[in-house]
Amino acid sequence: MATDEYIEDVFVVNRWILRCAGLWFPDSKSKLIQIPYKIYAVVVFLFVNVYFTSTEFLSLFYTYKNLYDFIKNVNFFLTHFMGAVKVTFWFFKGHVLRRLMATLESPEFHYEGCEDFAPAEIWAKYRKIGFKYTLGFLMLAHMTLSSSYLPPLITATFSPPPYGNGSASPFYHRLPYFSWMPFTHLTPGAYLLALGYQAGPMFSYAYSIVGMDTLFMNIMNFIAAHLTILQGAFMTNKSRVEGGEEDALVVRTRMNHEMKKNCRHLQTVLSVCEDLENVHRFLTLGQATATLFILCTCLYLISTTPADSKQFYAEMVYMVAMGFQLYLYCWFGNEVTLQASEMPTYIWKADWFDCDHSFKKNMIFTMTRMKKPIYMTVGKFAPLTLQTFVTVSVLTCGTSAIRELFQIIKTSYSIFAVIKNTSI
């Protein structure tokens, strides 16, 4: 029986996005590639994550008297500050994530297909899911930036407002959002330069944020893939080791060997879960807290913006992007929990009736271990699941999900009401 061909390099899209952000060095050993990339990475880190993030914080002091601009600047600052935190996190803890990626991509625990068990197809399915959500989030990030920067860019390029006699149209006074500038932008040329000065770091933030978030997402995605493959591996243990007219003792010996391999595989996957949880939980807490605040304040900004204005659609796209960011965390965290919770059922479905004591003991130990839920958490405060985010969670988790959903809606509305009242 031929071994199924697993697709290699399942994190290829994540690597390319991080490479665009200056966080993943090219594979080539050529100095003509390595040296320019190192210069690019240093410039991006110093200019975008250090200098520009600092100027965004400084901008808060210029806008605190205007509630709309102040809230918008706080939202952008929180988003980009979390991006800078993720870049810093990568420099200190990136080696842990790279090790986890290598473990998940390792061919050590590849299986042969049998009957309805097709591990290579499962692997390809999860790879496709990872690609779809990664590219979808990247596209949404581009839509968010384009909705803010394309309209003024098109206007300033093809239909520039009049400028003359030392006076400028009000158009040149405002950028997509207020930020401290080292130069004035009251002329058409200076305005286009200011747009580029502001948009450049925005796209850099987008790639670092999308790269780091989708990497975390995809690691959880392939943890779920391994758990799904393990379900089939446990269930088809006997079918995969039988080869014809072997003696029953030979079959039992092979089944014991296969069971031990499955248990080692499961222990490796659980170790990956634990390491990912330990290294990422506080970053997840920071992102979830920032996103909840941003979603609430975006609701306020949308409520105070005319529905037919460009700003309204820009705010809507931004709010959708932030919601989708948190959705990715919850969806794939929920997948890990769900696949782990179903493991005992698949172990029980194995043809174990005529197996020896050693096989049955390993079964019982493994099933007992998997009764303890596997969760990715938000800083150990709450499990990272889909209970409060999608309708399907109501079907899988029961009425508690509805109560939690209404509690979050109530909390969000309370924050929104407080902000709304301050503007009266």
Side-chain angles (χ1 to χ4, degrees), residues 68 154 264 286 324 422:
Y68 182 94
I154 292 173
R264 287 198 311 273
F324 187 71
T422 61

Side-chain angles (χ1 to χ4, degrees), residues 43-288:
V43 170
V44 167
F45 177 74
L46 292 179
F47 177 70
V48 177
N49 296 288
V50 177
Y51 170 76
F52 199 83
T53 305
S54 301
T55 63
E56 286 195 309
F57 178 73
L58 182 64
S59 299
L60 299 179
F61 296 94
Y62 288 88
T63 57
Y64 72 93
K65 293 183 179 180
N66 184 311
L67 185 61
Y68 182 94
D69 287 342
F70 179 72
I71 291 177
K72 190 168 184 177
N73 272 63
V74 169
N75 286 350
F76 275 99
F77 171 71
L78 281 177
T79 301
H80 300 151
F81 176 74
M82 285 306 305
V85 169
K86 290 171 185 176
V87 170
T88 305
F89 168 84
W90 176 258
F91 288 144
F92 287 97
K93 296 295 183 179
H95 65 282
V96 178
L97 299 183
R98 288 191 290 267
R99 175 172 57 81
L100 299 182
M101 293 164 66
T103 301
L104 293 173
E105 289 181 313
S106 172
E108 179 182 0
F109 295 111
H110 287 184
Y111 297 94
E112 296 176 342
C114 177
E115 299 173 352
D116 293 332
F117 176 51
E121 292 182 9
I122 296 172
W123 193 250
K125 170 191 169 184
Y126 276 87
R127 182 177 184 264
K128 184 177 180 181
I129 291 172
F131 270 44
K132 179 175 69 175
Y133 280 95
T134 299
L135 295 178
F137 190 28
L138 182 63
M139 181 178 68
L140 195 55
H142 278 277
M143 288 175 59
T144 303
L145 294 173
S146 299
S147 65
S148 295
Y149 286 94
L150 275 182
L153 177 62
I154 292 173
T155 300
T157 303
F158 299 103
S159 303
Y163 173 81
N165 300 323
S167 61
S169 166
F171 171 81
Y172 297 112
H173 288 266
R174 292 190 65 85
L175 290 166
Y177 86 103
F178 180 86
S179 65
W180 180 86
M181 286 281 175
F183 56 87
T184 59
H185 47 84
L186 299 180
T187 65
Y191 185 80
L192 288 173
L193 181 62
L195 280 178
Y197 174 87
Q198 201 178 73
M202 296 296 162
F203 279 93
S204 179
Y205 285 125
Y207 277 90
S208 59
I209 292 171
V210 171
M212 291 298 298
D213 284 345
T214 57
L215 179 60
F216 176 55
M217 172 210 84
N218 225 9
I219 291 175
M220 291 191 292
N221 180 42
F222 280 99
I223 289 173
H226 276 274
L227 291 172
T228 303
I229 291 171
L230 267 167
Q231 293 169 0
F234 277 115
M235 188 172 64
T236 61
N237 190 303
K238 187 174 182 179
S239 302
R240 287 184 293 108
V241 300
E242 285 182 325
E245 301 296 329
E246 293 95 342
D247 182 81
L249 179 60
V250 174
V251 174
R252 284 198 295 268
T253 302
R254 290 179 179 176
M255 288 183 68
N256 278 326
H257 176 76
E258 192 66 18
M259 171 59 80
K260 290 177 182 178
K261 175 185 175 181
N262 295 344
C263 290
R264 287 198 311 273
H265 186 183
L266 181 58
Q267 289 170 359
T268 301
V269 174
L270 295 180
S271 178
V272 170
C273 285
E274 184 178 357
D275 290 344
L276 182 62
E277 165 68 10
N278 289 336
V279 77
H280 212 280
R281 63 178 184 265
F282 294 117
L283 188 60
T284 305
L285 174 62
Q287 182 60 65

Side-chain angles (χ1 to χ4, degrees), residues 293-419:
F293 177 83
I294 291 170
L295 289 175
C296 296
T297 52
C298 276
L299 184 62
Y300 165 75
L301 295 179
I302 289 172
S303 71
T304 57
T305 305
D308 58 348
S309 65
K310 298 174 183 177
Q311 291 84 357
F312 178 85
Y313 295 106
E315 295 297 339
M316 282 291 296
V317 174
Y318 180 59
M319 187 173 70
V320 170
M322 296 305 299
F324 187 71
Q325 182 184 35
L326 191 58
Y327 167 80
L328 292 180
Y329 278 51
C330 294
W331 172 269
F332 288 95
N334 191 77
E335 279 295 295
V336 172
T337 301
L338 181 63
Q339 298 305 327
S341 68
E342 294 179 352
M343 192 66 68
T345 302
Y346 285 89
I347 297 174
W348 180 257
K349 289 180 180 179
D351 191 358
W352 54 269
F353 298 102
D354 57 349
C355 294
D356 59 21
H357 178 71
S358 176
F359 186 93
K360 294 175 182 178
K361 183 174 68 175
N362 284 330
M363 276 185 60
I364 294 172
F365 284 162
T366 305
M367 292 171 68
T368 302
R369 165 64 184 88
M370 296 309 294
K371 284 184 178 180
K372 180 181 178 182
I374 305 300
Y375 288 118
M376 308 305 296
T377 70
V378 183
K380 292 293 184 185
F381 289 102
L384 194 62
T385 65
L386 210 57
Q387 290 181 341
T388 58
F389 225 94
V390 290
T391 306
V392 72
S393 63
V394 177
L395 302 177
T396 58
C397 303
T399 57
S400 63
I402 301 177
R403 290 196 299 269
E404 292 180 15
L405 179 60
F406 278 102
Q407 184 61 39
I408 282 196
I409 293 175
K410 180 180 177 182
T411 303
S412 299
Y413 182 78
S414 298
I415 298 174
F416 161 71
V418 170
I419 298 173

